[in-house]
Amino acid sequence: FPPGNPAEKAGSGGVEQPTEAEREAVLLLSASRGVGVLEMPAGRAKAKGGKGRSKVGAKKPIAKRRKANVGKKKQREVEDEGWDAEAGKELAARLGSDDDILRHVRKIKEKLRLDDAKPKTLSSLNLAAKFREVVDKDTRSVLTEIERVILDAAASILEGDGLGFHVPSRGASNQHYVQELDRIVLKDSKTQRSFGNRAEVRKVAIMSRLMQLVYELCSKDITATKRDLFYSDVKLFKKQDESDAALEDVTCMLGCTRCSLHVVASEKGLVVGRLRYREAGDLIDCTRMGVGGKAIPSNIQKCTDFESDAEFILLVEKDAAFQRLAEDRFYNRFPCIIITGKGQPDVATRQFLRKMHQDLKLQVLALVDADPYGLNIISVYTRGSKNMSFDSSNLTTPGIKWLGVRPSDLDRFKLPNQCRLDMTEHDKRLGEKLLKEDFMKANPEWSKELQIMLDTGEKAEIQALSSFGFQYLTEVYLPLKLQEKDWI
């Protein structure tokens, strides 16, 4: 409480109710000192006839939740005083044999392999609206398309309309979620980008320069990274974000994938486990890649002949968890393929996951942090990103299941309070935003988990499970999840 006598500050007569923040502060202070909850005064004096502080009123439901959360935190803090590493291992007693643990994923694997149904596409749905999707094109087709665009621009100049391009609109209003496909697509709407418009002159210049560079790459049949393109004309591009955004506009305008332009990104993702394939003719065995795993190549078109005896694919958000799984050889005890995009995934990792899922017909289970960012990363893999919705048919992997770490796991696995983190305001804004997305509304189980997170105001990382032991993730948590078919 503030120093001084409340009665002297507020006057005599009447009662002023303490604020909710003051109640929370007292509860937390009491819990941290290991004493009982302090009795709050009934109120504070206020000036006679004065209005005093406004009561909680309309915010009562929120206040009740906050008070309940404070109480739960206090209770867990008291429990943490006598907590030790053995407390979380009681669930290990439920584990059966390895065959029992794998029986559910084996059934799903068999079901997927017997399913001969063709995947749904935008064209097969016969939707009324028109959408724009890019496809893989050979080098000759890309060159022809660039020549067509430049000839149209030249004709526009000769007609007196000036230099300009008809660029597909990639704004938020032009994005559409197709529930039948469970992914985001781009509506077929274009805007005129004119060199004569002061606000668009740099964008037109950058697009023109990029098409010149891409034409050179395709003509010489060589490949360059996005970073290479940026350094080809730093003074024009200024920032790589600008050249990257313009490259996506060029890709969408030409109607082809980025790989078709002979442009790739630097390697980022990793894969390890029960997988063998050929990369540019060389045989790659991912069981012999040590604890670091195999870097996913930038050009997935060079990856062919996928073979595996795995029962499922484990998609991991972070490199730290990936290294733990690889070092413990989790894929040998429970045959699987482990892949990570090290956070927000790049295009190559998303393409590689999709290709494995299609060729091997294995269920993909996701292991991410219990926070809004983890859930958002799963949605990028399975439903696509709005930024590249025009290429969602080539980048998304349908049917990914959320294995963990889920908000409901925090209490179920008795994660100690010291390993839980408070959600930031940015976390909460992202969580609220995700709840309003169409794909979340179509999946009530995901929405329920996200609502638990927002109500408790808590989040946790995968590494928080290490509080029970460094190998708890591989020896107890994941096996129990698999055995109980605990995914959504």
Side-chain angles (χ1 to χ4, degrees):
F1 288 107
N5 187 343
E8 293 177 357
K9 301 177 73 173
S12 59
V15 174
E16 181 181 3
Q17 295 295 330
T19 65
E20 193 64 24
E22 291 169 341
R23 291 181 178 276
E24 291 181 12
V26 172
L27 289 171
L28 290 173
L29 181 61
S30 302
S32 65
R33 293 180 177 177
V35 298
V37 179
L38 297 177
E39 289 292 326
M40 296 291 293
R44 299 193 295 178
K46 67 176 184 178
K48 188 174 182 181
K51 294 182 180 180
R53 293 181 185 268
S54 60
K55 296 184 179 180
V56 178
K59 296 184 179 180
K60 188 174 181 180
I62 299 177
K64 280 187 175 181
R65 287 203 303 269
R66 287 177 177 172
K67 187 174 181 180
N69 292 339
V70 171
K72 289 180 180 179
K73 286 182 180 180
K74 173 192 171 298
Q75 182 180 358
R76 284 196 300 269
E77 287 173 353
V78 173
E79 293 173 352
D80 286 352
E81 292 180 0
W83 181 89
D84 57 63
E86 298 298 323
K89 296 184 179 181
E90 58 187 38
L91 294 173
R94 300 184 189 176
L95 290 174
S97 65
D98 288 356
D99 287 335
D100 289 334
I101 293 172
L102 291 171
R103 70 182 187 278
H104 291 301
V105 290
R106 284 173 175 165
K107 288 180 181 178
I108 295 177
K109 176 182 177 181
E110 186 65 23
K111 182 179 179 181
L112 290 174
R113 293 197 171 180
L114 294 175
D115 187 6
D116 295 329
K118 293 183 178 180
K120 294 180 180 179
T121 62
L122 274 176
S123 57
S124 66
L125 294 177
N126 297 318
L127 300 175
K130 292 184 179 180
F131 301 96
R132 186 174 187 84
E133 289 188 311
V134 299
V135 296
D136 288 322
K137 292 184 178 181
D138 57 55
T139 301
R140 183 67 255 172
S141 297
V142 174
L143 291 172
T144 301
E145 194 64 27
I146 294 176
E147 291 167 358
R148 181 194 63 78
V149 171
I150 298 302
L151 286 174
D152 288 346
S156 177
I157 295 173
L158 293 174
E159 292 171 1
D161 295 329
L163 174 63
F165 304 118
H166 291 284
V167 182
S169 175
R170 298 193 293 121
S173 61
N174 211 37
Q175 314 284 341
H176 182 69
Y177 172 71
V178 181
Q179 188 169 347
E180 294 87 346
L181 300 176
D182 194 24
R183 61 182 172 88
I184 302 171
V185 297
L186 183 68
K187 296 179 183 177
D188 193 12
S189 176
K190 297 181 180 180
T191 58
Q192 176 68 15
R193 188 169 290 179
S194 176
F195 188 79
N197 188 325
R198 182 179 297 180
E200 298 174 343
V201 59
R202 284 199 70 251
K203 292 181 179 179
V204 174
I206 291 174
M207 289 180 65
S208 301
R209 178 65 170 135
L210 285 173
M211 282 190 283
Q212 179 189 9
L213 294 171
V214 168
Y215 194 90
E216 180 182 351
L217 290 173
C218 293
S219 299
K220 296 181 178 179
D221 195 22
I222 57 177
T223 301
T225 65
K226 293 193 296 182
R227 194 68 174 169
D228 291 332
L229 292 184
F230 169 68
Y231 278 108
S232 298
D233 202 333
V234 177
K235 290 186 177 180
L236 173 62
F237 299 145
K238 292 186 178 180
K239 298 179 180 179
Q240 187 171 344
D241 290 344
E242 294 188 36
S243 61
D244 287 352
L247 180 63
E248 290 171 0
D249 286 334
V250 169
T251 301
C252 191
M253 182 175 65
L254 298 178
C256 61
T257 61
R258 194 179 69 194
C259 287
S260 300
L261 303 181
H262 289 223
V263 179
V264 297
S266 300
E267 295 177 350
K268 181 184 178 186
L270 297 171
V271 63
V272 73
R274 318 283 282 216
L275 174 68
R276 290 174 40 158
Y277 66 95
R278 291 194 175 274
E279 182 180 325
D282 297 329
L283 180 62
I284 306 296
D285 187 347
C286 293
T287 62
R288 300 182 178 182
M289 293 297 164
V291 297
K294 168 70 173 69
I296 296 175
S298 300
N299 192 346
I300 304 303
Q301 293 176 338
K302 295 182 180 180
C303 300
T304 59
D305 303 330
F306 280 61
E307 297 177 357
S308 177
D309 63 347
E311 305 291 352
F312 62 97
I313 299 172
L314 184 60
L315 172 62
V316 183
E317 175 187 350
K318 290 184 173 181
D319 183 50
F322 177 88
Q323 299 297 336
R324 174 79 274 145
L325 292 161
E327 184 176 337
D328 289 353
R329 299 295 194 274
F330 182 80
Y331 52 83
N332 283 336
R333 180 182 174 189
F334 305 107
C336 65
I337 303 168
I338 307 172
I339 182 173
T340 180
K342 296 182 180 179
Q344 199 66 240
D346 60 337
V347 168
T349 303
R350 293 161 65 183
Q351 288 179 324
F352 195 85
L353 178 64
R354 177 180 175 83
K355 187 170 182 62
M356 283 197 301
H357 175 72
Q358 285 183 326
D359 292 3
L360 303 175
K361 294 185 176 182
L362 296 174
Q363 177 64 56
V364 181
L365 303 175
L367 177 67
V368 299
D369 289 340
D371 60 20
Y373 292 95
L375 183 55
N376 186 56
I377 286 173
I378 300 179
S379 72
V380 169
Y381 278 109
T382 189
R383 294 168 178 86
S385 63
K386 292 182 178 180
N387 197 40
M388 298 195 69
S389 56
F390 59 88
D391 200 13
S392 63
S393 61
N394 301 305
L395 300 178
T396 56
T397 303
I400 296 178
K401 302 296 183 183
W402 188 5
L403 181 66
V405 175
R406 301 204 303 271
S408 58
D409 290 342
L410 272 60
D411 286 339
R412 182 192 170 200
F413 285 84
K414 298 182 179 179
L415 199 68
N417 190 64
Q418 65 194 35
C419 298
R420 307 186 190 203
L421 302 172
D422 291 330
M423 293 179 67
T424 65
E425 289 301 320
H426 192 68
D427 292 332
K428 294 175 183 177
R429 285 195 297 270
L430 178 58
E432 295 289 353
K433 182 180 178 181
L434 286 173
L435 277 179
K436 297 176 182 178
E437 295 286 352
D438 291 332
F439 72 85
M440 287 295 293
K441 295 176 182 178
N443 196 327
E445 290 182 310
W446 285 30
S447 297
K448 182 180 178 181
E449 289 287 342
L450 182 54
Q451 191 62 59
I452 292 174
M453 192 188 308
L454 291 172
D455 287 344
T456 60
E458 293 180 331
K459 62 179 182 179
E461 298 183 357
I462 301 171
Q463 286 72 32
L465 295 169
S466 298
S467 59
F468 300 113
F470 291 117
Q471 294 181 306
Y472 187 80
L473 173 68
T474 57
E475 294 183 352
V476 179
Y477 180 79
L478 288 177
L480 189 63
K481 283 276 190 175
L482 294 172
Q483 177 176 290
E484 297 183 354
K485 198 180 178 181
D486 187 15
W487 56 72
I488 57 176

